[in-house]
Amino acid sequence: MKLADGRIYRNVTTPEKSKVAETLAEFRGQHRYNLMDENLRALAAVVPQINQWDDHETHNNWWPGQILDDPNYTEKRVDVLSARAHQALFEYLPIAERPNGTGRVYRKISYGPLLDVFVLDMRTYRDANGPDNATADDQGILGKAQAEWLKRELAASKATWKIVAADMPLSLVVSDAHGIEAVSQGDNGKPLGRELQIADVLSTIKKRRVRNVVWLTADVHYTAAHYYDPAKAAFQDFDPFWEFVSGPLNAGGFGPNTLDGTFGPQVKFQQVPPHANTSPLEGYQFFGEVAIDGGAGALTVRLRDLDGKTLYTVTLDPKR
């Protein structure tokens, strides 16, 4: 691939990486391919990981029950592909906890009195991509069981901070040829479609007086800090909260996405690449850092670039 400045970007290719992954062996090969990278191996050697999954572990923007219309695939059933991808994920990534022996990806991980992390799965249980304008909640993006689990576990948490690790942002409009891929559809009005489930979660957090909930997410290929303000929202039955977006570590850069005003998000910061599909060689790769003060309990978020430079920082004091 030729970059704008004339440099040539080349990838090493393995047999499993030379085609779309369909068999279990090919999905395993995707993980082995990643581990060929010296930098990734160095990161894994020193940085503990909390792994979740989204679309690209299986197929771009997939949903349960989908039948692919893609000539590159001989296996068109996404449920078959995702089952194989799920097995490879657990074989190659350190996900030690399998609640109730189910092998599910969503789970809570506790780090003592200061922190509980709620790891979501916004892929496995979602409804089909489409206009996202239903007036009654069905599966939503979490599925009914996971949504109830999240509300129950957040309310039961005794930790000072509750971090929700979400696959996708709540109010950035992400779409594809089938319709809406994320939560919000961009109409800025009352909750519809998948927004109904998120509205229920947010209102339950307020009703049960759950304090200090912060959402971390990725999916979109840039970095941003969003403050959700009910005073500026179409749906107002929730407490203010922050959402921090950061990624990717090594993929093409895009953005920015449009914000939907249903939950009143305000852009406090964002940095985006200068053009679509910006190569990692051009920079514009991002990551976030979260630190909790062991004494005062304050939580500080720093959004950083490829070189570790702090682009934006905010410190949040815990509410009691």
Side-chain angles (χ1 to χ4, degrees):
M1 176 175 136
K2 187 173 183 178
L3 305 183
D5 61 6
R7 287 182 294 170
I8 302 297
Y9 181 75
R10 291 187 176 89
N11 277 336
V12 175
T13 303
T14 63
E16 295 90 348
K17 203 67 179 176
S18 65
K19 65 178 291 294
V20 297
E22 300 179 82
T23 67
L24 177 58
E26 288 166 348
F27 280 112
R28 287 167 170 163
Q30 311 307 303
H31 291 277
R32 287 199 300 273
Y33 178 83
N34 292 340
L35 290 171
M36 293 171 62
D37 183 76
E38 179 181 353
N39 298 304
L40 179 60
R41 295 197 305 271
L43 177 72
V46 297
V47 179
Q49 300 178 39
I50 298 176
N51 289 287
Q52 61 196 119
W53 78 336
D54 194 25
D55 55 340
H56 283 276
E57 282 77 24
T58 303
H59 180 274
N60 188 48
N61 296 354
W62 69 273
W63 64 84
Q66 183 184 15
I67 304 298
L68 298 179
D69 180 18
D70 186 332
N72 293 306
Y73 284 81
T74 57
E75 176 54 75
K76 308 287 188 180
R77 297 168 297 172
V78 165
D79 288 353
V80 173
L81 296 172
S82 64
R84 295 167 180 168
H86 182 272
Q87 179 174 337
L89 179 88
F90 273 84
E91 290 176 348
Y92 277 86
L93 292 177
I95 305 178
E97 297 184 29
R98 303 191 184 195
N100 301 323
T102 61
R104 77 183 194 210
V105 176
Y106 72 87
R107 61 208 187 274
K108 183 186 82 170
I109 302 176
S110 296
Y111 291 89
L114 289 177
L115 176 64
D116 280 342
V117 178
F118 300 84
V119 183
L120 299 188
D121 179 354
M122 302 173 85
R123 186 60 51 179
T124 303
Y125 313 102
R126 62 165 54 202
D127 54 15
N129 290 1
D132 196 30
N133 58 3
T135 56
D137 178 27
D138 187 17
Q139 283 295 102
I141 199 164
L142 298 174
K144 293 183 180 299
Q146 182 178 195
E148 291 303 314
W149 166 86
L150 179 60
K151 292 187 294 182
R152 181 177 65 252
E153 293 296 329
L154 281 169
S157 173
K158 302 301 183 183
T160 302
W161 292 98
K162 296 89 177 169
I163 297 291
V164 181
D167 307 20
M168 310 197 77
L170 299 183
S171 293
L172 288 174
V173 180
V174 184
S175 60
D176 64 10
H178 300 282
I180 296 302
E181 157 68 0
V183 174
S184 297
Q185 70 292 105
D187 71 351
N188 300 312
K190 65 180 183 180
L192 295 171
R194 294 169 180 165
E195 292 171 335
L196 290 165
Q197 190 173 69
I198 299 303
D200 179 52
V201 170
L202 296 179
S203 63
T204 299
I205 290 172
K206 177 183 177 181
K207 179 181 178 180
R208 299 185 182 178
R209 299 179 62 82
V210 182
R211 304 301 188 214
N212 309 316
V213 180
V214 175
W215 294 69
L216 304 182
T217 190
D219 192 74
V220 294
H221 293 213
Y222 63 100
T223 191
H226 301 146
Y227 179 70
Y228 285 76
D229 185 353
K232 300 181 184 299
F235 174 82
Q236 299 184 323
D237 187 21
F238 67 95
D239 291 326
F241 66 95
W242 285 82
E243 174 188 61
F244 298 97
V245 183
S246 205
L249 283 177
N250 193 49
F254 298 88
N257 292 56
T258 301
L259 268 178
D260 183 301
T262 297
F263 301 121
Q266 310 296 301
V267 178
K268 296 300 183 179
F269 171 81
Q270 67 181 20
Q271 182 159 321
V272 301
H275 59 85
N277 203 27
T278 302
S279 164
L281 278 180
E282 300 174 77
Y284 299 96
Q285 307 289 291
F286 307 102
F287 66 97
E289 178 186 75
V290 180
I292 300 176
D293 185 303
L299 181 145
T300 299
V301 176
R302 297 178 179 86
L303 301 179
R304 298 182 182 272
D305 67 9
L306 183 66
D307 298 316
K309 177 184 176 183
T310 299
L311 305 174
Y312 177 80
T313 185
V314 61
T315 296
L316 310 178
D317 293 319
K319 296 180 179 179
R320 308 297 181 182

